[in-house]
Amino acid sequence: MARTLGDRELRALLARLADGRRHSGATLAREARVTRAALAKRIQKLETLGVEVEARFGLGYRLAQAIELLEPDLIVGALPAPVRARLAVEVAFGTDSTNRRLLESGGDEPRALLAEHQTAGRGRRGRAWHSPLGQNLYLSLAWTFAQWPPQLTALPLAVGIATAQALQQLGLAGVKLKWPNDLVVGGHKLGGILIEQRGEAAGACRAVIGLGLNVTMAAAPGITQPWTSLAQAMAPASAPSRNALAARILAHWVEMLDRFASDGFAPFASAWQALDATLGRTVTVHADPPYEGIARGVDASGALQVECTGGQRRVLAGDVSLRVAP
């Protein structure tokens, strides 16, 4: 994978600062074999990527909050043995989009790609995804189904269920799913899922599953919708490490995908109902024209059922946006 200029050096600097302690600028420059001016430029680059660095004259630099860098060996080591034997895991310091990189690349699958930051993270319908450095989880998994699976349109819902269950196991209470692809806590967005696929209806199907999950992010300039992070939703002492988090989610995804390949969405329908944040609530479907109704769950293909004046309407994933009335 092509590396952006300076990624190796930036990661090395961030690794030295990751403990949150203060480090002498002279020492950091000497270790990196650069001038103090060159070191200052690297610090500035980290700040443009969303890392808050405190600088004190004569005392040096430290991060406003300690971070944990992603390590493929730690992630792989935390996977269950059967998953570890099948899954390749790669970590990039920076990339445009983990989904895009996997869509454009080949190689053995299943294969997971994580990044410390993205320059062009994407959500559904081409929306930008805020991707600061080292604060969240940007994770994609390339997976090939030997045959086109049943109810493929419901795959985002099954991925949401597997992700929510992984978070519950790690101690997050109150996580819900907002149709079709959002993880929410208390009505605030915690993460989003984006699935892109390639293939022929009569043959193999290659899917790339992407997840953006807020972990320690404290600020999101330009984001207008209510959001939260794991650090805000959980007691700080109980929040999982990013490496453990990635491993747990990947393990749940692989287990789910094996079952989905043969059985489709049916085995997950009851779990969706228990996690459904919109069930029984008034929703606005932003179609053309928009309309309101009461959300009545999903059908076997993952379509949202909305009870409206004059009858029930079926809403397909991908062609509408959804707003939940307070």
Side-chain angles (χ1 to χ4, degrees):
M1 177 182 298
R3 188 192 305 119
T4 303
L5 179 65
D7 276 1
R8 187 188 300 276
E9 294 77 15
L10 288 175
R11 191 189 188 284
L13 175 58
L14 191 57
R16 287 289 284 120
L17 296 170
D19 57 12
R21 298 174 182 173
R22 197 172 297 282
H23 295 265
S24 159
T27 300
L28 292 173
R30 184 174 63 254
E31 291 175 347
R33 299 181 180 181
V34 297
T35 65
R36 293 290 298 274
L39 175 69
K41 289 182 179 179
R42 294 182 184 184
I43 293 291
Q44 291 172 358
K45 179 62 176 179
L46 290 179
E47 291 176 326
T48 65
L49 295 174
V51 179
E52 187 177 353
V53 184
E54 297 177 355
R56 293 290 183 271
F57 181 76
L59 297 176
Y61 302 96
R62 72 176 180 185
L63 300 186
Q65 63 176 21
I67 68 168
E68 177 199 19
L69 291 174
L70 295 169
E71 300 285 355
D73 290 346
L74 293 179
I75 296 169
V76 171
L79 292 169
V83 177
R84 190 185 315 141
R86 300 171 59 188
L87 182 63
V89 176
E90 180 183 358
V91 174
F93 184 75
T95 188
D96 50 0
S97 160
T98 54
N99 259 35
R100 182 178 296 163
R101 292 281 68 79
L102 288 183
L103 281 169
E104 294 176 352
S105 65
D108 295 335
E109 295 181 357
R111 183 157 62 101
L113 174 63
L114 301 96
E116 292 290 0
H117 75 99
Q118 299 180 118
T119 58
R122 294 174 293 148
R124 285 181 65 242
R125 307 177 75 191
R127 297 185 182 97
W129 185 271
H130 185 59
S131 305
L133 173 60
Q135 299 176 38
N136 299 328
L137 199 66
Y138 318 118
L139 166 63
S140 295
L141 174 67
W143 184 278
T144 296
F145 296 100
Q147 298 292 329
W148 202 272
Q151 296 102 37
L152 183 61
T153 54
L155 182 57
L157 281 64
V159 173
I161 292 165
T163 307
Q165 291 174 340
L167 294 173
Q168 288 173 333
Q169 284 190 1
L170 290 167
L172 177 63
V175 62
K176 295 286 186 180
L177 297 171
K178 179 185 168 198
W179 184 92
N181 71 328
D182 284 350
L183 294 114
V184 297
V185 176
H188 290 60
K189 186 168 181 175
L190 177 68
I193 294 160
L194 175 66
I195 297 180
E196 299 170 275
Q197 67 257 354
R198 303 284 187 271
E200 301 295 332
C205 172
R206 183 174 188 261
V208 173
I209 300 165
L211 171 69
L213 188 71
N214 302 331
V215 181
T216 62
M217 186 170 69
I223 304 299
T224 57
Q225 65 177 312
W227 62 272
T228 189
S229 67
L230 285 179
Q232 295 169 352
M234 302 175 69
S238 63
S241 76
R242 288 199 301 152
N243 288 293
L245 179 64
R248 187 65 62 94
I249 290 171
L250 284 169
H252 276 257
W253 281 7
V254 170
E255 180 183 0
M256 177 276 298
L257 288 163
D258 281 337
R259 193 170 187 190
F260 192 93
S262 58
D263 301 332
F265 184 65
F268 308 99
S270 61
W272 173 267
Q273 184 169 352
L275 291 164
D276 189 352
T278 64
L279 186 63
R281 299 185 63 178
T282 300
V283 297
T284 300
V285 180
H286 291 264
D288 186 19
Y291 59 89
E292 287 190 352
I294 307 296
R296 298 301 186 193
V298 299
D299 65 15
S301 66
L304 180 68
Q305 307 299 296
V306 180
E307 182 182 330
C308 306
T309 302
Q312 189 159 283
R313 301 181 69 166
R314 183 171 179 265
V315 186
L316 297 172
D319 60 359
V320 300
S321 62
L322 185 69
R323 297 291 182 269
V324 181

